[in-house]
Amino acid sequence: MVVYPKSILKLASQRAIQLLEKTPISKGYRVAIFFGFGIFPPAEFYSSALIQMGCQVLQMGAGKNLSTEQKVEWLKKTPVHTIVSMPSYLLRLIKVIKENSLLEFFKENLKCIITGGEVSSPKTRSLLINFFQVPLFDHYGMLEAPMIAGECINGHMHICCDYYPEVLTSSGIQPEGYGNLILSSRTVWGDEPLIRLNTHDLVLLRIDKCSCQDPGAIIKIIGRADQIVKIKGFQIDLTLIELKLNQLNVSEYYLEVSRDEAARD
């Protein structure tokens, strides 16, 4: 578990408010946060932001010692307007909802879904939207730079206004285009230093006007520039697995890496 200084928690919460304001969430909404698998920091960021927005927050993630079945039973007594979760956990949630024939109950109050912690494939995203029949808003961030970007009502992923984005292309660093996303912070807030970070995420960055009026640059995440994948919120470096296999006293082994770059699976 990563523990952030209070000043960085405050800054990340302010960034979370920027992202949440792009969604239908409004004062009085009841929001269930399902971040699990040990991913505590995003739960804290969202919780603080939502409380400041006048919402009621239900922490349903890691540390609650409840099964998904128990959480669904609990939510039957407390219907929610929004679910915040990793896409992979939502697939588990869907299974339990189906088994208990509770879809209509959830759809009666649910207004939107927010995903983060990992990037979902187009297939997973389509499955979630078709099942819940509500808008889905994806959020993008990382350990070194929490709450980087969020989706607007038009489906565009906008960078938070206190990050300055660039791309590292084959011809150098450019203000827009295709390449490695480079982020620089615009604000010094308490213990957070100014940063300039190569995310190693391959993106298409463009500075376009969006009808949602968000001034943030628009990014489309294409894939990774390295062999790191994220599974249930955990980063796994495939080159380290290969290194360990090379250290084994075996005469032969096979390592197969299968990736869909378009989906970042």
Side-chain angles (χ1 to χ4, degrees):
M1 175 180 171
V2 177
V3 179
Y4 288 94
K6 288 184 177 180
S7 57
I8 295 182
L9 284 172
K10 187 175 182 180
L11 174 58
S13 298
Q14 293 303 310
R15 288 174 181 157
I17 290 175
Q18 287 185 45
L19 303 187
L20 293 168
E21 285 177 341
K22 308 181 202 302
T23 74
I25 292 176
S26 61
K27 185 177 180 180
Y29 268 39
R30 189 178 296 113
V31 183
I33 300 177
F34 280 90
F35 275 107
F37 309 108
I39 312 299
F40 285 95
E44 294 296 325
F45 304 154
Y46 284 116
S47 179
S48 175
L50 288 162
I51 289 171
Q52 291 179 65
M53 294 172 68
C55 298
Q56 180 183 352
V57 178
L58 308 177
Q59 287 280 10
M60 307 296 293
K64 294 299 180 184
N65 297 318
L66 296 175
S67 67
T68 302
E69 290 78 7
Q70 289 172 317
K71 292 174 184 177
V72 168
E73 281 296 317
W74 197 84
L75 287 177
K76 285 170 62 177
K77 305 172 186 176
T78 315
V80 296
H81 303 100
T82 304
I83 293 174
V84 182
S85 175
M86 286 186 289
S88 57
Y89 187 79
L90 282 175
L91 296 178
R92 167 63 181 158
L93 193 64
I94 284 176
K95 182 180 178 182
V96 175
I97 291 173
K98 282 183 176 179
E99 289 172 350
N100 292 273
S101 303
L102 291 172
L103 178 57
E104 291 305 315
F105 172 79
F106 272 84
K107 286 172 63 175
E108 185 177 345
N109 296 283
L110 200 62
K111 304 299 182 185
C112 68
I113 292 172
I114 296 169
T115 57
E118 60 194 16
V119 178
S120 58
S121 67
K123 182 179 179 180
T124 299
R125 180 186 176 91
S126 177
L127 189 154
L128 295 174
I129 293 173
N130 290 336
F131 182 80
F132 288 106
Q133 293 293 304
V134 294
L136 184 150
F137 298 86
D138 194 27
H139 289 173
Y140 165 58
M142 55 183 54
L143 186 66
E144 303 89 344
M147 302 294 171
I148 295 171
E151 216 173 336
C152 72
I153 195 68
N154 297 321
H156 295 146
M157 184 80 77
H158 292 272
I159 299 277
C160 273
C161 62
D162 56 350
Y163 284 117
Y164 178 72
E166 300 168 290
V167 284
L168 177 59
T169 70
S170 56
S171 56
I173 295 179
Q174 303 294 333
E176 58 183 334
Y178 170 77
N180 285 18
L181 177 63
I182 307 294
L183 286 176
S184 301
S185 54
R186 299 176 186 265
T187 308
V188 176
W189 192 303
D191 299 320
E192 184 184 67
L194 286 170
I195 63 168
R196 185 171 173 80
L197 173 70
N198 184 344
T199 66
H200 296 284
D201 280 325
L202 294 172
V203 304
L204 181 62
L205 173 67
R206 52 197 178 94
I207 305 171
D208 286 343
K209 289 184 179 179
C210 180
S211 61
C212 77
Q213 304 301 314
D214 191 308
I218 298 171
I219 61 168
K220 181 178 181 181
I221 302 170
I222 307 299
R224 287 287 297 180
D226 53 25
Q227 289 298 318
I228 291 179
V229 296
K230 188 177 281 190
I231 300 175
K232 294 185 177 179
F234 288 103
Q235 285 192 347
I236 298 174
D237 191 337
L238 299 179
T239 59
L240 295 181
I241 296 176
E242 185 176 12
L243 176 64
K244 288 297 182 181
L245 288 172
N246 282 325
Q247 293 173 352
L248 296 176
N249 186 24
V250 295
S251 58
E252 188 176 14
Y253 71 86
Y254 296 93
L255 176 66
E256 180 176 336
V257 178
S258 178
R259 291 177 60 174
D260 177 354
E261 287 296 337
R264 284 188 86 217
D265 283 350

